Amino acid sequence: MKIQHLVSSMAICLFALLVCSKGASAQTAMSSPSIDEYFTKVTTASVTPDSQGFIRRWTLLEPIGKPNRSNTVFVDTYIREAFATEYFPNQMTVVPKDGDKVKVTVEVQAPVNLTMGRPQQQQGPAAPKFEKRTLVWHSLDSKRFNVKLFRFATGLDKDRYGVVFWAVTVINCEEDLNNVRLAVGSNSASMWWIDGQEALILSGDRRMVMDDATSKRISIPKGRHVLRGAVINGPGMSDFCVRFIDEDGNPVKNYTITTQ
Amino acid sequence: MKARISLIIAAAFISVAASAQIGKPFIHDPSTIAECDGKYYTFGTGSGGLISEDGWSWESGAVRPGGGAAPDVLKIGDRYLVGYSATGGGLGGGHAGRILVMWNKTLDPNSPDFKYSDPIEVAHSEMDEDCDAIDIGLFLDPTTGRLWCTYGTYFGAIRMVELDPKTGERVKGNIEKDVAIDCEASTMIYHNGWYYLLGTHGTCCDGVNSTYNIVCGRSRNVTGPFYDNMGRDMMAGGGKMVIAAENRRIGAGHFGRTIVTEGVEKMSLHWEADMDQSGRSVLAIRPIVWVNDWPVSGELWQDGKYAIVSQRRGYALELAVDFVRLAGGMRGFGGQGNDTVISLEDQKLEDVIGGWPKGDIEARIGDIMYRPHQKWSIEAVQDVPGYLGGQYCKIVIDGTNRALAAAPGAEVITVPEFTGAPEQLWRIEQLTDGTYRIMPKEVPGAEGEFVLISAGDSTPSLGKFNFESDNCKWNLKKW
């Protein structure tokens, strides 16, 4: 049993104003596991999907602060608007390299006090505070079938709750992939695009479940294609798993994965 | 307008009576229901819990120290092991938690033996590891006698550890194992060679908008891996649905299993919101039905009109009265004539009741023909103590007050008037195979429990319940 408070995202911002020092990571953690337990830096030119077809190589942008005290707000309209918001230039077309940087305006959040529990609630309305931050793209191979965004964030000492993650990867098909489906599980809501075309949306207070939702049948022609995703999360864990499956639900694995 | 409001209130009352525990069954994260000295107990998050004399009407009064979240109770030998969790953080905070257990000889706070032992920590989570050590579930493996404890939430993994059933302490050297993700309120059960891990998925604590639902996976090994019906490992988020929202009862969470006897099992849970009880979180009890060795929620019978059909032969329980033919009869097999096709009328009660005897009438089982002497009205009887998860009903021929009743000698008859006598009150419970057993509250001149049986294909009687025998099973076909 976990208690979720249905409080508007604005409610925590006054606390942020009072507590956060400018430029500091807003949700610093104590004794978080190392990012090395979950990811390795990309060191090879390409990889293949894992034995179950999951795509483990992704270039991830450090989390963009977007406070939400509950994941129940992630209805379709909300997340479409959230992901249609331009946080950085060429958001829907860029194929970032490891170490690339973008300047992003983020909403400042209260620190998480792991000993005291959830961030304190505020009394009365407060205006959110925004600041410009430089966020970095990281090309990583996940050690697990699911990409633990939460540990990506904590491992880099970044905001862990109330965030938007952007993820990009490139798939290289030696032959046409006909009538396949993009299968995604995400925590929490997410949207996914192939070569800029929307493939899938997972709305609501989602948990990451393997093959939770799939795209309609799609055919991906031989060649290079960009797969892009955005995941939004309020409190709690955040991760995703992505693969292609065939008509029978079996994994599709006859392609390679690169960062460019 | 006033009449209309009354009707709405009445409808709501009937709905509550048929589907929800009565009294003040308000609780969140109920522990598995435990029986102690003829009473039922369940503990919830926070302090305290509920007590019931009959398993149907619940009031606060159970006592559990320690506060914290989501306890569980398991009777081992002649003692009760009570587990709970002390937690600090939450979804938006840290994830330090402690799983604690303690013993008590009794759950009755008025008993002189009522005294909890000092709590023992059996597992914990650090502030920022991939686990949230709350929501304990206790499981005593019936095949080995080994005691297991599962715990955890959406934040990271559901873990299991082994405890010593004599002391409640963690088995020395035992290392916790991750067995699932994406759920909380986990617990385990065993059935027919399978171990089941159950967890609650979805959004908690959001009242009428909570999406809580209970899912499970199964394994031949007690420590998993646990797979769902699609072959998905619960470590990948797999889970087959056990129970989700019902109409006006939202958010099913915190599964617990009670085996009443072979073939009669109940699940306890809470609804995040019962829309007929101010949207409050309430205790619920539902039958467990096993389908292809998967547990699913069965059905509580509802007030209504039914044919009561024997599992033995597929015949219908009826009054032993003359069969009255409908007009018509053989119309030939060919397609002769160009008659307009019309709908024939049902036989009506007033067409036949005049020929029925006025006093007691024997009960019989006959070809199912959907005639008035086979049409039973089943209706809950208020203000009578119930049983675990249910309330007694009267079974009368529809349109009359003629009631099915237990008779001396463990036989069954119908009496012309329902009086509320205990031999006219019936307990209807869905069995684990989906059929029902039908039990009189009392049998005149006899001790013990009896159920309605098929003594022959056409002869009803009362006898001892035997889940292995179709003689003891009935189906309720909505009229």
Side-chain angles (χ1 to χ4, degrees):
Chain A
M1 191 278 300
K2 295 305 254 180
I3 298 170
Q4 295 191 37
H5 293 283
L6 299 176
V7 180
S8 78
S9 61
M10 293 178 63
I12 62 172
C13 298
L14 179 59
F15 189 69
L17 280 168
L18 296 173
V19 176
C20 287
S21 60
K22 187 175 181 182
S25 172
Q27 294 180 332
T28 53
M30 293 177 290
S31 66
S32 292
S34 166
I35 193 172
D36 297 337
E37 293 184 27
Y38 302 88
F39 298 97
T40 57
K41 296 288 283 184
V42 169
T43 57
T44 59
S46 69
V47 292
T48 56
D50 72 11
S51 61
Q52 291 186 290
F54 288 105
I55 298 171
R56 297 191 178 199
R57 173 164 292 183
W58 294 88
T59 300
L60 305 173
L61 182 62
E62 292 171 356
I64 299 169
K66 186 170 178 56
N68 274 299
R69 293 296 308 276
S70 168
N71 295 324
T72 60
V73 301
F74 299 143
V75 297
D76 293 60
T77 301
Y78 180 95
I79 59 174
R80 283 188 184 283
E81 289 178 4
F83 296 147
T85 301
E86 185 174 279
Y87 300 95
F88 52 89
N90 304 316
Q91 182 169 288
M92 295 303 296
T93 56
V94 65
V95 179
K97 294 186 178 67
D98 183 55
D100 280 357
K101 295 178 175 137
V102 293
K103 282 213 178 273
V104 179
T105 299
V106 301
E107 191 172 337
V108 178
Q109 301 192 65
V112 172
N113 185 333
L114 296 179
T115 60
M116 295 297 291
R118 69 185 66 249
Q120 297 175 32
Q121 294 182 51
Q122 304 310 304
Q123 301 300 317
K129 181 189 176 187
F130 296 91
E131 69 179 27
K132 278 274 188 189
R133 286 187 188 164
T134 299
L135 304 181
V136 182
W137 289 93
H138 299 262
S139 295
L140 300 168
D141 287 326
S142 173
K143 290 185 174 180
R144 306 169 188 219
F145 80 98
N146 53 329
V147 178
K148 283 266 200 176
L149 295 169
F150 185 87
R151 290 306 177 197
F152 169 68
T154 62
L156 297 173
D157 198 18
K158 304 296 180 186
D159 283 354
R160 60 179 64 193
Y161 302 126
V163 286
V164 172
F165 295 94
W166 285 90
V168 181
T169 196
V170 175
I171 63 171
N172 307 280
C173 307
E174 302 248 332
E175 56 190 351
D176 295 349
L177 303 180
N178 293 318
N179 293 323
V180 299
R181 296 177 189 267
L182 181 69
V184 178
S186 69
N187 188 343
S188 190
S190 64
M191 285 185 72
W192 301 86
W193 299 265
I194 299 174
D195 296 331
Q197 297 296 308
E198 179 183 326
L200 189 57
I201 179 170
L202 288 81
S203 59
D205 181 11
R206 290 269 171 184
R207 275 87 202 175
M208 190 223 67
V209 172
M210 169 184 173
D211 300 341
D212 184 11
T214 70
S215 68
K216 296 185 184 305
R217 293 178 185 82
I218 51 178
S219 291
I220 302 175
K222 176 182 176 181
R224 172 186 175 275
H225 303 278
V226 177
L227 174 57
R228 187 181 312 274
V231 180
I232 188 166
N233 195 45
M237 182 54 71
S238 181
D239 55 352
F240 69 83
C241 62
V242 173
R243 67 175 184 168
F244 288 99
I245 57 175
D246 65 16
E247 191 71 23
D248 298 321
N250 297 317
V252 174
K253 297 188 283 188
N254 54 334
Y255 60 91
T256 62
I257 308 159
T258 57
T259 59
Q260 294 297 307
Chain B
M1 186 63 185
K2 196 171 180 180
R4 187 175 173 189
I5 290 171
S6 298
L7 279 174
I8 292 170
I9 292 171
F13 177 74
I14 288 168
S15 174
V16 170
S19 302
Q21 310 303 300
I22 63 170
K24 293 181 179 174
F26 307 119
I27 196 167
H28 203 265
D29 310 325
S31 61
T32 301
I33 290 172
E35 191 175 359
C36 178
D37 297 331
K39 295 180 183 178
Y40 297 98
Y41 295 81
T42 180
F43 301 103
T45 284
S47 59
L50 304 177
I51 302 177
S52 176
E53 301 271 354
D54 60 359
W56 174 244
S57 177
W58 297 81
E59 300 290 339
S60 61
V63 175
R64 178 185 66 81
D72 199 17
V73 182
L74 178 66
K75 188 175 186 183
I76 302 176
D78 58 355
R79 295 183 299 165
Y80 296 87
L81 184 63
V82 177
Y84 64 101
S85 46
T87 182
L91 282 176
H95 297 276
R98 300 171 69 214
I99 301 293
L100 302 152
V101 298
M102 53 193 179
W103 294 95
N104 205 327
K105 289 181 182 174
T106 176
L107 298 179
D108 181 357
N110 296 317
S111 167
D113 291 330
F114 184 79
K115 184 183 180 188
Y116 282 102
S117 63
D118 291 336
I120 307 165
E121 180 181 312
V122 297
H124 70 274
S125 57
E126 302 293 341
M127 283 180 291
D128 198 21
E129 66 176 295
D130 284 345
C131 182
D132 220 348
I134 68 167
D135 286 15
I136 181 175
L138 294 165
F139 170 62
L140 191 65
D141 185 344
T143 69
T144 64
R146 295 169 73 179
L147 177 62
W148 300 91
C149 162
T150 57
Y151 59 93
T153 71
Y154 301 116
F155 191 85
I158 301 298
R159 286 181 174 161
M160 66 185 302
V161 295
E162 185 174 6
L163 309 184
D164 183 336
K166 291 188 177 67
T167 64
E169 294 175 348
R170 179 92 163 263
V171 168
K172 282 191 177 175
N174 172 254
I175 297 172
E176 62 268 21
K177 182 180 182 188
D178 293 351
V179 289
I181 59 171
D182 296 322
C183 59
E184 54 191 26
S186 63
T187 195
M188 290 180 64
I189 60 175
Y190 176 85
H191 171 82
N192 198 26
W194 291 99
Y195 295 93
Y196 297 81
L197 177 64
L198 295 102
T200 303
H201 195 79
T203 301
C204 173
C205 315
D206 196 10
V208 295
N209 297 304
S210 297
T211 60
Y212 242 20
N213 57 89
I214 296 169
V215 299
C216 77
R218 68 184 184 185
S219 173
R220 292 294 187 185
N221 300 309
V222 67
T223 57
F226 299 93
Y227 295 102
D228 70 7
N229 55 320
M230 297 304 296
R232 276 182 304 194
D233 193 332
M234 291 184 80
M235 283 298 295
K240 182 182 182 300
M241 188 64 69
V242 177
I243 182 170
E246 295 177 351
N247 186 22
R248 298 186 64 75
R249 275 160 283 279
I250 309 299
H254 280 258
F255 177 95
R257 177 206 204 184
T258 300
I259 299 176
V260 177
T261 188
E262 184 190 5
V264 185
E265 299 182 14
K266 316 263 174 150
M267 67 174 79
S268 56
L269 61 139
H270 75 238
W271 298 118
E272 288 283 331
D274 185 333
M275 296 178 71
D276 293 322
Q277 298 193 70
S278 304
R280 295 180 69 173
S281 179
V282 300
L283 177 68
I285 300 172
R286 292 289 182 272
I288 296 175
V289 174
W290 290 95
V291 179
N292 298 325
D293 282 338
W294 290 102
V296 296
S297 172
E299 300 287 338
L300 292 179
W301 60 269
Q302 303 288 319
D303 287 1
K305 301 171 188 6
Y306 296 91
I308 300 174
V309 178
S310 70
Q311 179 74 355
R312 167 175 167 139
R313 182 70 183 200
Y315 288 171
L317 185 70
E318 64 181 23
L319 299 183
V321 294
D322 289 346
F323 176 77
V324 178
R325 294 171 59 80
L326 281 169
M330 180 65 186
R331 285 184 49 87
F333 298 112
Q336 69 272 33
N338 294 311
D339 297 358
T340 301
V341 174
I342 61 170
S343 176
L344 301 180
E345 286 193 3
D346 289 332
Q347 190 175 67
K348 296 184 177 61
L349 177 65
E350 55 265 33
D351 298 335
V352 296
I353 193 170
W356 294 356
K358 303 301 179 194
D360 293 354
I361 301 177
E362 294 291 325
R364 188 172 59 195
I365 313 172
D367 292 306
I368 182 165
M369 295 292 287
Y370 287 91
R371 300 294 171 87
H373 68 302
Q374 299 178 328
K375 187 175 187 179
W376 300 94
S377 174
I378 299 177
E379 184 180 328
V381 177
Q382 310 299 335
D383 302 324
V384 172
Y387 50 90
L388 185 61
Q391 63 185 143
Y392 284 94
C393 64
K394 63 178 181 181
I395 302 175
V396 300
I397 288 293
D398 188 51
T400 77
N401 213 17
R402 174 170 292 281
L404 190 69
E411 298 297 346
V412 62
I413 58 168
T414 68
V415 295
E417 289 295 326
F418 174 76
T419 64
E423 65 269 21
Q424 299 175 15
L425 299 174
W426 296 87
R427 165 177 174 170
I428 301 177
E429 289 174 301
Q430 193 171 33
L431 306 178
T432 52
D433 63 1
T435 62
Y436 291 82
R437 72 173 184 176
I438 302 173
M439 306 172 67
K441 192 169 194 295
E442 289 182 15
V443 178
E447 295 290 325
E449 290 187 341
F450 290 82
V451 296
L452 184 67
I453 63 166
S454 299
D457 288 351
S458 302
T459 306
S461 184
L462 300 176
K464 295 297 181 184
F465 177 64
N466 175 8
F467 180 65
E468 300 302 319
S469 172
D470 282 351
N471 284 341
C472 301
K473 301 175 183 179
W474 301 85
N475 294 287
L476 303 179
K477 294 194 178 296
K478 196 83 177 170
W479 201 286

